[in-house]
Amino acid sequence: LTSVQLYYLRDVLGRLDLYPVLSITQLVLTFVLAAFMPRLVRKLGKKRVYIFSSLLTVIGGAVVFFTPASQVWIGFTGLVVSLVGVLAVNIVVWALEADTVEYGEWKTGVRTEGITYALFSFTRKTGQAVGGALAAYALALGGYKSGAVQTPDAVFGIQLAAGALPAVMTILAVIVMAKYTLTDTMHARILTEIQARRTDGEGPSAGDRPSDSDGAAPALSPG
């Protein structure tokens, strides 16, 4: 999405002057969302915040993809809505990642912040590389030519990269997150048990671990 914003504003909407407006809007939204995210998480939970934020990205992507080039402000609004979802997910995902550290300790008795955060950083960088490549491929398939008036196929390629691809990828992420069992309730129980183990000086106990989901025991035993 960030790779193709400039192309969408310049070559589809014909409003390159809106690019700095979008950049400032993105900066302001980052600070606003960061301030409100703890309250949203307390009220809805991290999983729901992730899913609802992702749906904003899907809605914004659909607007960007289907809006005619002549409807500048509708297309720009779709881009902003999509960005709100992306920014919110980028904020809450760090909290989700931190939960997995406690989950790993509860599951195996070993706390591994280092490798967990390293793998998380690696997958984020990989995702950014793949996302940028997909945007470039979409532009190329549409026949984009730098410095020229774009053909209808090239405009379609840009709209595909700026709207449809982010929406489709986000839908896949929502499908995965819908099956995510490490909820805030489960995480609280995990923290309580970890603290009890530390106090008692005991290792992981398979007999009294909380279940991954209501009524279902974890599929893996502690290592």
Side-chain angles (χ1 to χ4, degrees), residues 1-6 8 22 57 61 64 78-79 81-84 86 131-132 135 161-163 166:
L1 181 60
T2 55
S3 300
V4 80
Q5 290 172 357
L6 176 64
Y8 179 71
L22 183 66
T57 300
V64 168
L79 203 58
V81 170
S82 188
L83 275 174
V84 170
V86 170

Side-chain angles (χ1 to χ4, degrees), residues 11-35:
D11 299 308
V12 176
L13 301 184
R15 291 294 303 271
L16 183 59
D17 58 302
L18 289 177
Y19 188 71
V21 176
L22 183 66
S23 299
I24 295 172
T25 301
Q26 182 172 342
L27 181 63
V28 172
L29 285 173
T30 301
F31 285 105
V32 171
L33 288 172

Side-chain angles (χ1 to χ4, degrees), residues 13-135:
L13 301 184
R15 291 294 303 271
L16 183 59
D17 58 302
L18 289 177
Y19 188 71
V21 176
L22 183 66
S23 299
I24 295 172
T25 301
Q26 182 172 342
L27 181 63
V28 172
L29 285 173
T30 301
F31 285 105
V32 171
L33 288 172
F36 280 95
M37 192 57 67
R39 186 181 304 175
L40 288 174
V41 167
R42 284 193 298 269
K43 185 175 181 179
L44 300 175
K46 291 186 284 289
K47 178 178 177 178
R48 288 183 178 178
V49 169
Y50 184 103
I51 291 175
F52 293 158
S53 300
S54 297
L55 292 178
L56 283 178
T57 300
V58 174
I59 293 170
V63 171
V64 168
F65 182 66
F66 290 109
T67 298
S70 59
Q71 302 297 321
V72 174
W73 291 108
I74 296 178
F76 182 79
T77 300
L79 203 58
V80 171
V81 170
S82 188
L83 275 174
V84 170
V86 170
L87 292 172
V89 166
N90 280 338
I91 293 172
V92 76
V93 75
W94 289 97
L96 285 165
E97 194 279 340
D99 290 352
T100 65
V101 174
E102 278 84 29
Y103 178 83
E105 181 181 0
W106 164 75
K107 194 81 169 177
T108 68
V110 179
R111 189 174 182 86
T112 56
E113 291 104 327
I115 189 63
T116 302
Y117 277 94
L119 287 173
F120 180 56
S121 178
F122 173 76
T123 55
R124 283 177 58 87
K125 296 298 184 184
T126 302
Q128 291 169 359
V130 172
L134 287 176

